Amino acid sequence: MGVIHGDLMTLNIGPQHPSTHGVLRLKVKTDGEIISEVEPIIGYLHRCFEKHCENVTYDQVIPYTDRCDYIASMNNNFGYAVTIEALMEIKVPERVEYIRIIVAELNRIASHLLALGTYGLDVGAFTPFLYMFRDRERILDLFETLCGARLLYNYIWVGGLSHDLPRDFVESVFSFLDYFEPKIEEYNELLTYNKIFIERTADIGVLPPEVAISFGVTGPNLRGSGVKWDIRKDDPYSIYDKFDYDIPIGAGEMGTVGDCWDRYYVRMVEMKESAKIIRQALKGLPAGDVHQALPKKIRPPKGSIYKRTESPRGDLAYYIVSDGSPIPYRLKMRSPAFTALSVLGEISQGWMMSDVIAILGSLDIVLGEIDR
Amino acid sequence: MTVDNLINWFPFGTEWPVLTFVTAVIICALPVFLFIAVYALVAIYAELKISSFMQDKVGPMGQGVGLHAWKFGILQPVADALKLILKEDIIPDLADKKLFVMAPFIVFVGAFISFAALPFGQNIIIADMNIGIFYILAVGSLSVIGIILAGWSSNNKWSLYGGMRSAAQIISYEIPAGLSIISIVMLTGTLSMQGIIEFQSGTIWGVLPNWIIFNNPFSFIAFFIFFISGVAECNRTPFDIPEAESELVAGAFTEYSGMRYAFFFLSEYAEMFVISAIAVTAFLGGWNSPISGFMNSSGWGVFWFMLKSLSLIFLMIWFRWTLPRLRVDQLMSICWKVFLPFSLVNIFGVGIWSLLVG
């Protein structure tokens, strides 16, 4: 069957659009419903994160990291704290490490819930979004008791934490996990194995592993393409090597390896694995003082460090150059969502208008982190 | 209460035939318009509450001092309607103004005049035409013109997308819907809505109601084809591709606001009722009671008709809050590759069935 090409129409998706997940603009060239070119245009949310950091002391950077990936603030704090600690060679107490992992994994669940819920919205299913937000809300409530904030926590500090755990926190997390784990089955029944959802996502936007690696895509997007790469396992930081958990990868269960469904499903399974880690950490939680190792003054020695951690979106890394003063000389953040977005133009060519939205949603980008 | 009865009843009918006709039509149209308005408010409230129930939230609730949507938020749809009516009516500068203004009314008219042939009860039908069902199918497709006009005249790329998608979708789905109705017409031998319902009175083997859906296996399938095509014609999820919120912002209705937008909304709900009413008439026995002889008077007929129609509307609401949206090409392939062949086979099957059995 011959294909007739008409004139191309340029269409701006965004910056104000229901499913660009923030203020992203996609400049799209369309031939009817078929997309022939996608160019993401970013920068609408640029807040000079890196320049700000060069003007405040090391501990004052932490609230700024909150505002980068505002869906997973704990993980951003965590990555920054780990980096500075490695630069200063601080050893943090065991209790701090455990609590950090508990909150980071809770935040990973919250972040994935948001990603999957809004992905449901992108393909037109409204109800799973509300189910997932209902459950994410419980995690936010837990964080509220923990540090008073629901979105921007400023909880993990260099050398320790801002507060110790509140009373009954461990029991509340256990009861949350008991409530939450069966809910994953509910999401699967409602959305994951829905025939229409599979039709919309399987075989769509296939990201082959070699393309993913060459673009520097990390996190669930890379694992969706069948590459078993997780910083928590492959370059362990904190005490992640103490726990027993699996790294789910995309297997092409419903279509090709690396399609939207695989990226979606990897996140779904990762929530289960995170719950597993939290359970182990809660059981092994030692007693101690979380403020014990907090340095009086953060003044890292001259030098530089590049340290990466696994945020819900992938390989989140900080490159910090210190000149021995209490203010960072240079701070660079490697954003996993930025590399994920860069691959969009590559994998959405030739798909239809609706698919581009589905592919964009499956990459789970956060504009706060891309623009910084 | 048909228009004909009304015209005959007027004492001066022969002297001023035109005046009589216009008066009779207006007398019939006013209650229909009122009915649509009230039904739409109820349906919107029901949709809010049902979706809330499905999504584990409470939905509209009256709170605080004062009226505040009253008890259980009953006044919420009224407040919504008032808000839409009072809102500024924005017409984009570069829009084709005449078409832009006309489009919502064309859409509404398509849904509104279908009500003329809906049999609410044994005697409650505005015009019991001998081609009733054919008439409804014909005027029902009027709304697609309005949607295309809305999409084109807005001078907005999203609207254009929405308009083109909806044109393709509604016209395609009218074919399987019409073919399913043809199999019913073959079975009953009449195009009149009342005739089709009368065909369905009584029982099969004294147990099942003698509805067409139970008449033979082919009409059983035809019901599902018709109903799903009907959902597609109403642009409801999973077929809400023309207004796909996450892709096209609001599709053909992107540039509309206030009263004009309210008319699109109203006609969507009116169309849902029309589709459900046709499905009830053609397959589910219309105003016949499900249990033969039980509450089967003409007054109860209205009750049964409304109950059945509203149940189908509930089904549509249920679809909407459960299913994701199909892609435009998948929608078309379902229509042309599945529904169309099946409904053709159905016609053939019903023909053979009525030859051999009936």
Side-chain angles (χ1 to χ4, degrees):
Chain A
M1 202 175 74
V3 178
I4 304 164
H5 289 290
D7 287 343
L8 295 183
M9 179 168 87
T10 310
L11 186 69
N12 274 311
I13 306 183
Q16 309 297 332
H17 186 274
S19 40
T20 49
H21 295 244
V23 275
L24 168 68
R25 175 173 156 218
L26 296 177
K27 202 167 148 195
V28 166
K29 292 226 164 66
T30 61
D31 177 10
E33 288 277 345
I34 311 286
I35 301 291
S36 62
E37 203 185 312
V38 182
E39 187 192 341
I41 296 169
I42 59 169
Y44 291 92
L45 207 60
H46 183 57
R47 291 146 303 165
C48 303
F49 164 69
E50 287 170 10
K51 198 68 195 166
H52 266 305
C53 297
E54 291 168 21
N55 291 288
V56 293
T57 57
Y58 281 99
D59 45 346
Q60 286 171 338
V61 170
I62 294 174
Y64 282 117
T65 65
D66 276 337
R67 284 151 182 81
C68 284
D69 182 354
Y70 44 79
I71 309 298
S73 294
M74 287 293 186
N75 294 79
N76 287 21
N77 293 171
F78 195 9
Y80 178 76
V82 164
T83 313
I84 300 288
E85 280 154 16
L87 190 59
M88 294 174 71
E89 288 166 359
I90 300 175
K91 183 97 179 68
V92 298
E94 190 87 319
R95 181 173 174 84
V96 173
E97 298 278 26
Y98 271 89
I99 295 175
R100 281 179 177 184
I101 281 178
I102 292 165
V103 294
E105 293 305 318
L106 275 176
N107 209 172
R108 191 186 307 278
I109 294 177
S111 167
H112 283 346
L113 280 176
L114 187 130
L116 303 177
T118 49
Y119 192 50
L121 270 190
D122 286 344
V123 296
F126 200 86
T127 303
F129 167 73
L130 286 159
Y131 281 15
M132 290 177 193
F133 259 56
R134 174 194 66 196
D135 299 338
R136 176 173 175 267
E137 199 66 19
R138 296 184 64 136
I139 298 179
L140 297 192
D141 288 343
L142 284 174
F143 285 158
E144 198 180 354
T145 65
L146 186 65
C147 58
R150 291 168 62 80
L151 195 66
L152 307 167
Y153 309 113
N154 186 16
Y155 180 67
I156 299 178
W157 285 358
V158 176
L161 305 162
S162 73
H163 306 74
D164 201 351
L165 294 183
R167 262 187 302 144
D168 301 336
F169 186 79
V170 175
E171 290 75 37
S172 333
V173 176
F174 267 128
S175 73
F176 165 73
L177 291 176
D178 291 339
Y179 159 84
F180 174 69
E181 276 166 327
K183 292 286 176 200
I184 293 178
E185 288 314 306
E186 193 179 299
Y187 308 147
N188 281 339
E189 279 167 26
L190 186 60
L191 189 62
T192 313
Y193 295 112
N194 183 303
K195 177 75 179 140
I196 298 176
F197 182 74
I198 292 170
E199 288 286 314
R200 280 298 305 277
T201 54
D203 285 327
I204 306 292
V206 177
L207 175 60
E210 58 281 1
V211 175
I213 291 169
S214 68
F215 271 81
V217 174
T218 49
N221 296 328
L222 179 67
R223 293 194 282 276
S225 298
V227 181
K228 207 163 188 160
W229 176 257
D230 190 315
I231 308 290
R232 290 176 293 176
K233 282 263 192 215
D234 294 300
D235 185 8
Y237 56 98
S238 193
I239 49 164
Y240 271 112
D241 43 4
K242 282 192 182 173
F243 301 111
D244 169 38
Y245 58 98
D246 294 326
I247 303 298
I249 55 168
E253 204 179 314
M254 293 296 161
T256 325
V257 176
D259 57 9
C260 290
W261 195 89
D262 273 351
R263 286 194 283 277
Y264 166 91
Y265 194 62
V266 161
R267 292 196 174 89
M268 193 62 96
V269 182
E270 253 177 44
M271 293 200 295
K272 276 187 209 168
E273 297 301 323
S274 289
K276 227 195 248 174
I277 297 175
I278 298 169
R279 275 188 193 282
Q280 292 170 37
L282 286 172
K283 282 194 190 113
L285 186 67
D289 182 6
V290 298
H291 297 297
Q292 184 191 342
L294 283 181
K296 287 273 182 308
K297 196 165 206 177
I298 305 173
R299 198 189 271 272
K302 223 168 173 178
S304 68
I305 189 164
Y306 181 82
K307 181 102 181 142
R308 48 192 181 176
T309 53
E310 183 76 18
S311 95
R313 262 148 274 281
D315 182 347
L316 174 79
Y318 290 92
Y319 176 64
I320 294 169
V321 180
S322 162
D323 57 357
S325 70
I327 293 169
Y329 178 74
R330 177 78 173 93
L331 192 151
K332 157 90 179 118
M333 181 188 183
R334 183 211 184 269
S335 153
F338 181 79
T339 49
L341 181 63
S342 69
V343 87
L344 177 71
E346 182 78 11
I347 58 173
S348 51
Q349 267 172 27
W351 293 105
M352 301 187 90
M353 177 75 196
S354 322
D355 295 329
V356 171
I357 302 295
I359 294 168
L360 180 67
S362 76
L363 292 174
D364 182 26
I365 53 164
V366 169
L367 265 295
E369 191 191 57
I370 291 171
D371 291 343
R372 278 162 290 175
Chain B
M1 191 191 72
T2 64
V3 180
D4 297 332
N5 291 344
L6 211 59
I7 291 172
N8 295 336
W9 177 76
F10 276 132
F12 43 84
T14 45
E15 288 155 55
W16 297 302
V18 176
L19 180 73
T20 314
F21 180 72
V22 170
T23 323
V25 167
I26 289 174
I27 287 176
C28 293
L30 272 178
V32 168
F33 188 79
L34 270 179
F35 171 79
I36 293 177
V38 171
Y39 146 77
L41 292 182
V42 173
I44 290 169
Y45 181 74
E47 176 132 39
L48 287 169
K49 275 298 187 189
I50 292 167
S51 68
S52 304
F53 172 69
M54 289 173 184
Q55 294 164 349
D56 207 355
K57 53 180 193 175
V58 289
M61 293 291 279
Q63 280 191 344
V65 187
L67 204 54
H68 283 281
W70 210 35
K71 286 212 166 79
F72 311 112
I74 286 173
L75 293 183
Q76 185 66 44
V78 179
D80 287 346
L82 273 179
K83 185 202 80 174
L84 284 173
I85 290 167
L86 295 175
K87 256 183 135 173
E88 185 187 355
D89 174 31
I90 298 168
I91 300 176
D93 266 355
L94 294 175
D96 188 332
K97 291 200 180 55
K98 278 180 204 152
L99 298 184
F100 189 85
V101 170
M102 234 159 66
F105 298 103
I106 295 180
V107 174
F108 182 68
V109 161
F112 181 61
I113 54 180
S114 309
F115 277 76
L118 293 187
F120 286 89
Q122 228 150 342
N123 308 311
I124 305 170
I125 180 167
I126 292 171
D128 185 13
M129 287 171 272
N130 53 2
I131 54 157
I133 203 156
F134 180 59
Y135 163 81
I136 292 183
L137 288 180
V139 299
S141 46
L142 203 61
S143 61
V144 68
I145 297 172
I147 295 180
I148 298 174
L149 283 185
W152 176 254
S153 65
S154 301
N155 193 23
N156 176 321
K157 286 169 183 171
W158 303 113
S159 305
L160 186 60
Y161 260 114
M164 297 316 285
R165 281 183 178 190
S166 123
Q169 173 180 336
I170 298 181
I171 292 173
S172 306
Y173 272 89
E174 232 143 57
I175 297 167
L179 289 177
S180 320
I181 292 296
I182 284 181
S183 62
I184 303 314
V185 172
M186 284 166 66
L187 210 60
T188 57
T190 172
L191 282 165
S192 144
M193 296 293 260
Q194 296 289 32
I196 291 171
I197 294 177
E198 269 148 29
F199 177 86
Q200 302 177 64
S201 56
T203 54
I204 304 171
W205 311 314
V207 196
L208 277 176
N210 184 24
W211 297 350
I212 289 176
I213 186 173
F214 303 125
N215 190 287
N216 62 59
F218 300 103
S219 55
F220 187 74
I221 297 167
F223 170 72
F224 291 98
I225 292 177
F226 176 81
F227 186 64
I228 294 171
S229 308
V231 176
E233 272 185 67
C234 299
N235 297 340
R236 297 279 297 183
T237 311
F239 309 106
D240 63 338
I241 290 158
E243 45 196 295
E245 195 228 341
S246 56
E247 295 150 27
L248 300 186
V249 192
F253 316 137
T254 307
E255 294 289 353
Y256 282 89
S257 60
M259 189 64 190
R260 292 180 212 291
Y261 182 76
F263 261 92
F264 282 121
F265 216 71
L266 194 63
S267 26
E268 183 188 317
Y269 279 89
E271 242 165 78
M272 277 163 71
F273 189 85
V274 172
I275 293 293
S276 309
I278 303 173
V280 167
T281 308
F283 296 96
L284 302 178
W287 34 255
N288 281 313
S289 158
I291 302 154
S292 182
F294 172 70
M295 304 208 297
N296 211 3
S297 67
S298 62
W300 282 110
V302 182
F303 169 77
W304 289 122
F305 182 82
M306 291 302 288
L307 185 74
K308 290 172 189 171
S309 304
L310 294 179
S311 319
L312 289 184
I313 288 168
F314 171 75
L315 209 59
M316 289 188 191
I317 293 174
W318 194 357
F319 284 165
R320 176 166 179 187
W321 299 109
T322 310
L323 297 174
R325 180 187 308 122
L326 282 163
R327 203 172 59 205
V328 68
D329 60 323
Q330 293 164 345
L331 179 89
M332 288 299 158
S333 63
I334 291 176
C335 175
W336 294 103
K337 293 181 188 164
V338 182
F339 284 176
L340 190 67
F342 264 99
S343 46
L344 286 171
V345 169
N346 259 339
I347 293 180
F348 194 65
V350 167
I352 293 190
W353 183 276
S354 30
L355 255 181
L356 297 180
V357 183

